[in-house]
Amino acid sequence: MDATYIALAQMAVGGGLMGMAYALVAYGFQLTYAAGKAVNFGQGELVMLGAFAGISLAGTGLPYWVSVLGAMVAGAALGWLVERVAVRLALKQHNEGWILLTIIVGLFALSSVENIWGREDRAFPAPWPTGALDIFGISVTWPELAIAAGALGIMTLVELAKRYTMAGIAVQAVSADPEAAELCGVRSRSAISLSWAVSGAAAAFAGTVLGPVTTVGPTMAAALTLKAFSVAVVAGLDSGFGLLIAGIALGAAENLSGYVLGSGWREAPGLILLILALAIRPQGVFGKKIIRKV
Amino acid sequence: MLNVENLHAGYSGDDAVRGISLQVAEGSCVALVGANGAGKSTLVKALCGLLIPRSGRVSFDGKEITGLPASEVARRGLCLCPEGRRVFGPLTVEENLLLGAYPRLPSFGPFRRAASSDLKHIYGMFSRLGERRLQQAGSLSGGEQQMLAIGRVLMAKPRFMVLDEPSMGLAPVVVKEVFEAIRTLHASGMTILLSEQFARIALAISDRAYIIERGSVVLEGPSKELAKNPGVMAAYLG
């Protein structure tokens, strides 16, 4: 009996730590939604691209940290690009075409990845010690801890920058009232571009910390978009703290259902969560906010 | 200083502004008077870049600014204090004021230090803003929000201030206070374009005025003369 509980707790903790990466990806949704009322439905592809970029950079012999930083720069550039080529076009015409356009850009990214890096899953090299820590009988590996520390670190850093730099305050002003921000001389398009770049960097970083745990392959992208989306739907797009809670809960639920019901059921909680949330809030994630704005 | 020629503008369907021309000389205070829906706000938005005019010309300081984005117009020193105040509710009073000075503050550097003397100046003018500088702007009263909106524009060190319906939704006592502040600004040499539906108070404070009806100028002249015109006062008693 005891052994079962410990195994369940072990599963919950491991999943919860993974779930913090989902929260980080969902946080990217939150950033772009706040500034420009749009999200990237190809965010999972950015996570995957970030991971592959990190692997390739590390493959050239660059130190781990430099590779991670390089992956983030690539992610920022791609995030910026998605907004420029897909989202801005549709919003200019005042329609919801950005949803489809970001999916298309994501698919394009996916096939590029398959062409450049191939379809096989790869290991992400990380300098963490191989052993596990024992915390009250539950073992926690270093790569899992890196996910938690990285997700918390990035989110904290961005939140601090939003409060304590003028650029961050300007982005907040654009989320609150883009016209009034323009009247202050804030170029709202630049503020939106900035938030897409930060969102892309966060996604790429998530790829570099997830990689050592899950391995990296083209199949990770769609699953991650969906999971992050479930987390964002459940937590709402206002609070970073809510995202963390929802992310941890989803990660834990995935691991537990995989353990109890069988590995085929791992993906079920995310989907069930998404369906439930959409059923309870039929206006969808964004409905309320858009109505409030207009 | 500001020269508008035959401006047409509107949102959808018919033009709300139908061929308005007006001039504002440096250092003067000019009022736009007209009923609700006469087209004053549309005109003001088209001047400041929030709305792209359908035709006509706007020039500021001899340079054409027609159709420039609002952020560029603001950076040239033509700053709008918008209708309904539009303060950033979730941000603090001080953050709102800092945003007014955004173009000249460092994006990632020590911006509070760079703005401290300007902030002190605004808090000297509007002491209640100083008392509430760390409160959320959304929690202020209507009058305080109007002071904040004016303070935010002043932080930009504008050369030309456009005020759109500053009296809207305020109690009479507060309206008096707001206009006292506008009068002081004008006395200190600020060029002002004031859009206001209460004719009496707008004509009392301005040098010249344009009476606007259904998107066109129907009368213009020195405010003192317009205030004596019985037709104007009958139509826009307020």
Side-chain angles (χ1 to χ4, degrees):
Chain A
M1 199 61 193
D2 259 8
T4 315
Y5 281 131
I6 287 178
L8 287 176
Q10 174 71 59
M11 283 290 141
V13 169
L17 291 171
M18 279 278 292
M20 291 176 80
Y22 306 159
L24 181 58
V25 180
Y27 183 62
F29 285 155
Q30 195 179 78
L31 289 174
T32 60
Y33 187 72
K37 305 287 170 275
V39 298
N40 180 11
F41 282 87
Q43 195 80 348
E45 277 80 2
L46 285 188
V47 177
M48 168 195 69
L49 273 166
F52 273 118
I55 288 178
S56 288
L57 287 170
T60 64
L62 283 172
Y64 174 75
W65 290 110
V66 179
S67 315
V68 170
L69 214 62
M72 287 175 76
V73 171
L78 288 167
W80 177 84
L81 194 70
V82 171
E83 199 272 335
R84 276 316 272 265
V85 303
V87 180
R88 190 171 294 194
L89 191 71
L91 289 184
K92 223 179 242 170
Q93 296 161 358
H94 302 284
N95 63 32
E96 304 294 319
W98 56 268
I99 296 176
L100 204 55
L101 282 170
T102 57
I103 294 173
I104 291 169
V105 173
L107 290 174
F108 186 73
L110 187 66
S111 31
S112 311
V113 162
E114 288 182 347
N115 282 322
I116 299 171
W117 284 285
R119 286 167 188 246
E120 281 79 50
D121 279 7
R122 297 190 187 204
F124 194 104
W128 314 122
T130 42
L133 291 165
D134 191 313
I135 300 169
F136 301 117
I138 292 165
S139 73
V140 177
T141 66
W142 287 97
E144 285 172 340
L145 278 178
I147 292 179
L152 275 179
I154 296 280
M155 288 169 76
T156 309
L157 211 66
V158 176
E159 286 302 311
L160 288 175
K162 267 162 71 176
R163 282 171 186 75
Y164 298 108
T165 69
M166 207 56 223
I169 294 173
V171 170
Q172 287 192 67
V174 171
S175 343
D177 187 338
E179 273 192 356
E182 279 275 325
L183 290 175
C184 293
V186 176
R187 295 174 175 127
S188 50
R189 301 299 342 175
S190 316
I192 290 169
S193 286
L194 177 64
S195 56
W196 276 80
V198 174
S199 169
F205 180 82
T208 66
V209 286
L210 271 174
V213 181
T214 62
T215 71
V216 179
T219 47
M220 73 193 286
L224 268 169
T225 302
L226 197 69
K227 286 170 189 178
F229 198 68
S230 309
V231 168
V233 169
V234 170
L237 286 165
D238 315 312
S239 117
F241 186 70
L243 290 179
L244 276 174
I245 301 296
I248 290 170
L250 175 59
E254 278 183 355
N255 253 8
L256 287 174
S257 63
Y259 180 73
V260 175
L261 302 172
S263 60
W265 292 94
R266 258 192 66 95
E267 310 294 323
L271 293 168
I272 292 170
L273 215 58
L274 186 57
I275 292 166
L276 274 182
L278 289 175
I280 295 164
R281 293 181 62 185
Q283 74 271 39
V285 211
F286 316 129
K288 206 170 176 183
K289 278 192 142 180
I290 288 169
I291 290 161
R292 206 194 314 151
K293 259 216 59 95
V294 176
Chain B
M1 194 179 200
L2 180 74
N3 195 12
V4 177
E5 286 167 48
N6 198 20
L7 200 74
H8 288 260
Y11 282 94
S12 52
D14 287 350
D15 290 349
V17 170
R18 304 170 187 174
I20 288 187
S21 298
L22 60 85
Q23 290 83 39
V24 182
E26 187 156 9
S28 66
C29 175
V30 171
L32 299 171
V33 179
N36 229 336
K40 302 189 304 294
S41 275
T42 309
L43 170 62
V44 160
K45 282 182 181 156
L47 294 182
C48 298
L50 288 181
L51 178 67
I52 296 173
R54 292 189 176 145
S55 67
R57 252 176 77 95
V58 183
S59 53
F60 179 60
D61 262 353
K63 291 187 191 92
E64 178 158 6
I65 57 165
T66 326
L68 282 184
S71 52
E72 299 310 315
V73 175
R75 280 163 190 253
R76 290 176 184 216
L78 172 53
C79 297
L80 169 66
C81 183
E83 180 181 1
R85 307 180 271 278
R86 306 282 286 267
V87 298
F88 302 110
L91 300 181
T92 65
V93 167
E94 187 151 298
E95 284 167 341
N96 268 269
L97 291 173
L98 287 164
L99 279 159
Y102 175 79
R104 70 190 140 85
L105 295 181
S107 287
F108 295 96
F111 55 94
R112 273 177 214 275
R113 202 183 317 149
S116 68
S117 68
D118 300 324
L119 283 173
K120 220 173 270 167
H121 177 70
I122 302 292
Y123 294 149
M125 266 178 85
F126 305 114
S127 57
R128 263 176 303 166
L129 295 184
E131 289 156 22
R132 291 164 202 248
R133 64 188 197 90
L134 298 179
Q135 270 185 30
Q136 281 197 332
S139 72
L140 300 182
S141 71
E144 287 162 350
Q145 289 192 10
Q146 187 61 61
M147 300 299 183
L148 177 56
I150 292 175
R152 187 175 65 186
V153 171
L154 289 175
M155 284 293 286
K157 301 195 170 162
R159 294 182 302 119
F160 190 119
M161 242 177 118
V162 183
L163 292 142
D164 194 7
E165 302 287 357
S167 73
M168 197 172 81
L170 301 182
V173 196
V174 185
V175 172
K176 225 174 135 189
E177 229 178 305
V178 168
F179 275 81
E180 211 39 64
I182 297 172
R183 192 193 299 276
T184 312
L185 279 174
H186 178 39
S188 72
M190 179 71 73
T191 314
I192 294 172
L193 179 64
L194 170 68
S195 157
E196 176 60 58
Q197 56 174 314
F198 293 118
R200 197 188 298 277
I201 196 162
L203 292 176
I205 196 176
S206 57
D207 311 316
R208 290 179 64 246
Y210 292 83
I211 313 287
I212 301 191
E213 235 174 71
R214 287 190 293 276
S216 310
V217 174
V218 290
L219 256 180
E220 63 174 283
S223 301
K224 274 185 190 141
E225 283 174 26
L226 290 174
K228 282 185 220 145
N229 183 325
V232 169
M233 292 319 278
Y236 306 105
L237 208 71

